[in-house]
Amino acid sequence: MSRAALLSLTLTDFRSYERATLRPDGASVYLFGANGAGKTNLLEAISLLSPGKGLRGSSLIEVGRRLPGEATGRAWAVAAETEAPQTDFGQDEPVRLGTGVELAGAARRIVRIDGETVPPGRLADHVRPIWLTPAQDRLFLEAASERRRFFDRLVFAGEPAHAGHANAYDKAQRERMRLLTDAAESGQPADAVWLTALEARLGAAGALMANARARTLMALQAEIDSRGDRPFPRARLALTGEWEKLALVGVEIAEIEARLAAALAAARPRDGAAGRALTGPHRGDLAIHHVDKDRPAAECSTGEQKALILNLVLAQAARLSRAKDAPNPILLLDEVAAHLDLKRRAALADEITALGLQAFLTGTDQSLFDHLKGRALGVRVSELGLTALEDV
Ligand SMILES: Nc1ncnc2c1ncn2[C@@H]1O[C@H](COP(=O)(O)OP(=O)(O)OP(=O)(O)O)[C@@H](O)[C@H]1O
């Protein structure tokens, strides 16, 4: 597989943009401009070239352009061209990707690849964005669910099937809880056959989730440990969930599946009374330890935490950039450079270049990207729109 980088990006009625086009032609891009100029909006548009709600987790109606006072956003579109995979027979024409809604207020977005409407999951065949945003500055203060979500995105970038398993798990979980809470409220027993079928589904999807997380964790840890002389803090990672722990010690997936289904069956009365399932892969946490400081990440400074998480993202990007059968990840780094000291900023620029990755970075000041000059496309974002510098 080739770099699978973006050649062009066009936004129509997306957030603050009536229409804007960016032509990175496969290069990395740094976007600079005043607060509120529209830098993050561009990264968000790229993040929507993958299944899900993008880097802000917004609903579809929020992203359509709205003038002040308008209640509903317009119909919007994000279109991109990516490099076609390099095959033994050479390189094909660029792939055309598109997403958006055709009617304002539509509940589902449409995804098209080369003009054909496809399920959003197919985007992962072409683009795999991984992002780091200011929202993740609070990662270690937030509930475990935020860290799981963050980690699951990294897992997903390497194993797109993970999202399907997580969705199947959530759906079965909601159905099971509805049965159990209805039974608890009515005093009538729940349909045991139906519950058993749902728990079998939860066992199967949950075991696959736990396994994928464990696999990614081990690969990430190996990647972090193997990358020596760098100015980014090394992390020691752990998954605290009981099902991930089983996967980490090598318990077979069929065994995890059977044990999870049995644990859920045994927990019916307890879960019904609590109104939520008290065991399963929706419960664990990602623990990150700063190796050199020998402290949990939560006890580190804001800058150290940012550098730890960035190092995690870079490790995953480095791993995936070597994968033969998947597109390279595209890094979306929102306001990351401003948190890094000079040495780390230089190292980040060198690493993006050395890995041959396409990255999109934002910051208020052009000088934050001095190390990327000549190696990336600089774009000024202002009320005049996007103005590319000519220094690539
Ligand atoms: N649906 C929308 N329609 C029109 N404008 C929107 C919409 N959603 C957000 N905006 C506008 O987009 C702007 C925010 O853009 P963005 O978050 O990309 O800024 P930024 O350049 O990343 O700023 P900062 O440096 O402060 O992070 C705001 O002015 C906001 O009002």
Side-chain angles (χ1 to χ4, degrees):
M1 203 91 185
S2 78
R3 293 208 314 127
L6 296 191
L7 302 172
S8 70
L9 179 75
T10 301
L11 317 186
T12 308
D13 281 327
F14 184 86
R15 294 279 189 193
S16 49
Y17 294 95
E18 183 175 357
R19 190 163 173 94
T21 298
L22 189 64
R23 295 188 197 288
D25 214 14
S28 287
V29 177
Y30 57 91
L31 302 153
F32 61 93
N35 292 138
K39 305 177 295 292
T40 309
N41 292 344
L42 272 166
L43 299 198
E44 185 183 28
I46 300 171
S47 73
L48 285 169
L49 295 173
S50 72
K53 291 177 155 189
L55 59 72
R56 284 192 174 107
S58 298
S59 67
L60 294 180
I61 39 173
E62 278 175 84
V63 301
R65 191 168 66 93
R66 256 177 302 144
L67 296 179
E70 283 181 350
T72 322
R74 283 145 219 248
W76 57 272
V78 175
E81 282 190 324
T82 67
E83 284 171 348
Q86 183 84 43
T87 66
D88 293 343
F89 307 103
Q91 193 151 17
D92 285 338
E93 292 288 301
V95 181
R96 287 178 292 119
L97 308 177
T99 188
V101 298
E102 279 173 351
L103 288 175
R108 273 175 184 275
R109 65 177 165 123
I110 296 169
V111 170
R112 292 209 176 94
I113 298 180
D114 282 336
E116 193 190 328
T117 303
V118 296
R122 286 274 305 280
L123 287 167
D125 297 344
H126 301 278
V127 194
R128 302 220 183 148
I130 308 183
W131 55 80
L132 197 52
T133 71
Q136 285 149 357
D137 291 352
R138 297 180 47 79
L139 199 62
F140 299 106
L141 302 173
E142 303 277 5
S145 57
E146 290 304 310
R147 284 181 293 281
R148 272 198 310 274
R149 202 196 313 273
F150 166 75
F151 188 64
D152 276 341
R153 280 231 51 100
L154 293 183
V155 177
F156 170 77
E159 302 192 29
H162 186 59
H165 302 144
N167 287 340
Y169 183 88
D170 285 347
K171 190 162 170 265
Q173 182 78 287
R174 278 196 302 275
E175 268 191 67
R176 175 177 178 272
M177 285 318 303
R178 193 162 41 78
L179 286 184
L180 290 177
T181 47
D182 283 356
E185 277 166 23
S186 67
Q188 300 289 320
D191 182 336
V193 176
W194 192 359
L195 278 173
T196 304
L198 288 172
E199 285 155 3
R201 259 191 255 163
L202 285 163
L208 287 165
M209 284 166 70
N211 225 35
R213 286 178 182 156
R215 205 169 27 243
T216 301
L217 186 104
M218 286 188 282
L220 264 178
Q221 189 68 65
E223 185 74 32
I224 290 169
D225 295 345
S226 70
R227 306 168 91 225
D229 190 22
R230 300 159 68 250
F232 294 106
R234 274 180 312 138
R236 191 167 64 244
L237 309 171
L239 289 166
T240 65
E242 92 182 86
W243 307 99
E244 286 80 5
K245 278 188 185 162
L246 291 179
L248 282 167
V249 296
V251 175
E252 292 286 328
I253 193 157
E255 174 71 22
I256 300 177
E257 178 177 338
R259 281 205 225 173
L260 177 55
L264 290 166
R268 286 175 194 170
R270 195 186 57 171
D271 288 354
R276 65 204 164 94
L278 297 173
T279 189
H282 61 289
R283 300 273 301 166
D285 199 350
L286 169 72
I288 304 186
H289 199 83
H290 190 305
V291 172
D292 306 307
K293 287 263 160 100
D294 195 17
R295 276 178 191 283
E299 291 176 19
C300 294
S301 77
T302 321
E304 284 170 338
Q305 291 181 3
K306 191 95 189 178
L308 267 174
I309 304 177
L310 174 62
N311 201 24
L312 212 63
V313 168
L314 287 173
Q316 180 67 330
R319 272 189 68 220
L320 299 182
S321 67
R322 293 194 302 271
K324 294 251 178 309
D325 52 354
N328 264 2
I330 294 179
L331 278 178
L332 307 178
L333 303 178
D334 193 17
E335 283 180 47
V336 168
H339 283 272
L340 303 176
D341 56 33
L342 254 158
K343 196 166 61 164
R344 286 186 176 149
R345 244 182 274 155
L348 175 62
D350 288 347
E351 219 154 276
I352 289 169
T353 313
L355 292 172
L357 291 174
Q358 188 180 35
F360 291 78
L361 303 98
T362 70
T364 46
D365 275 321
Q366 188 177 353
S367 63
L368 289 167
F369 305 106
D370 283 350
H371 297 101
L372 279 167
K373 276 205 180 119
R375 308 201 256 179
L377 176 69
V379 176
R380 176 176 285 116
V381 185
S382 69
E383 62 280 9
L384 300 174
L386 308 178
T387 317
L389 309 181
E390 287 169 7
D391 67 349
V392 180

